[in-house]
Amino acid sequence: MNYVDGFVIAVPTANKEAFRKMAAEIAPVFREHGALKVVECWGDDVPDGKTTDFKRAVKAEPDETVVFSWVVWPSKEIRDAGNKRIMEDPRMQSPDMSIFDGRRMIFGGFQTIVET
């Protein structure tokens, strides 16, 4: 089964277009290095929870929007090798990552256990 990297970040709402442009520019890099699919989702209906929620998870400020993203890989091994090549790819040195605070990103790798 596939392997999935998941990400949640808070992006200043005013930076939506800059984020979309950056994501569109780096997605092909992931695909060239083995990713099957790259998905970036702009928060549209992200409710406040009673105990925890996406906003609190990334310490989103009132002027920020939560972005939920994932990358699908054929396997963990291909993901590990692909991520190494991605970090070495010169195109990844130029994206303007200052459009969001990467210190508040949450991320992880996940084994697919059900897929329909």
Side-chain angles (χ1 to χ4, degrees):
M1 288 196 143
N2 293 332
Y3 194 80
V4 177
D5 281 328
F7 310 88
V8 180
I9 59 174
V11 176
T13 304
N15 289 351
K16 181 179 182 179
E17 182 54 28
F19 178 82
R20 189 208 59 75
K21 184 175 184 249
M22 179 207 58
E25 288 174 358
I26 66 173
V29 178
F30 280 77
R31 296 290 309 269
E32 289 172 25
H33 293 295
L36 300 173
K37 186 176 198 175
V38 177
V39 180
E40 301 282 355
C41 302
W42 191 259
D44 179 56
D45 185 11
V46 184
D48 294 333
K50 291 185 179 175
T51 304
T52 191
D53 56 47
F54 281 110
K55 294 174 196 169
R56 281 187 268 188
V58 293
K59 298 182 179 178
E61 298 292 331
D63 64 339
E64 294 179 319
T65 299
V66 173
V67 173
F68 177 59
S69 309
W70 67 92
V71 179
V72 179
W73 301 90
S75 68
K76 185 175 190 296
E77 294 75 26
I78 292 172
R79 174 265 209 161
D80 291 346
N83 274 339
K84 182 178 183 314
R85 290 190 309 271
I86 288 165
M87 292 303 113
E88 295 168 351
D89 192 302
R91 293 171 292 177
M92 292 301 290
Q93 308 311 315
S94 61
D96 182 7
M97 298 298 207
S98 68
I99 60 175
F100 65 91
D101 183 356
R103 298 172 299 174
R104 294 184 283 142
M105 176 189 299
I106 58 172
F107 59 91
F110 300 84
Q111 295 176 348
T112 303
I113 58 172
V114 175
E115 186 172 338
T116 61

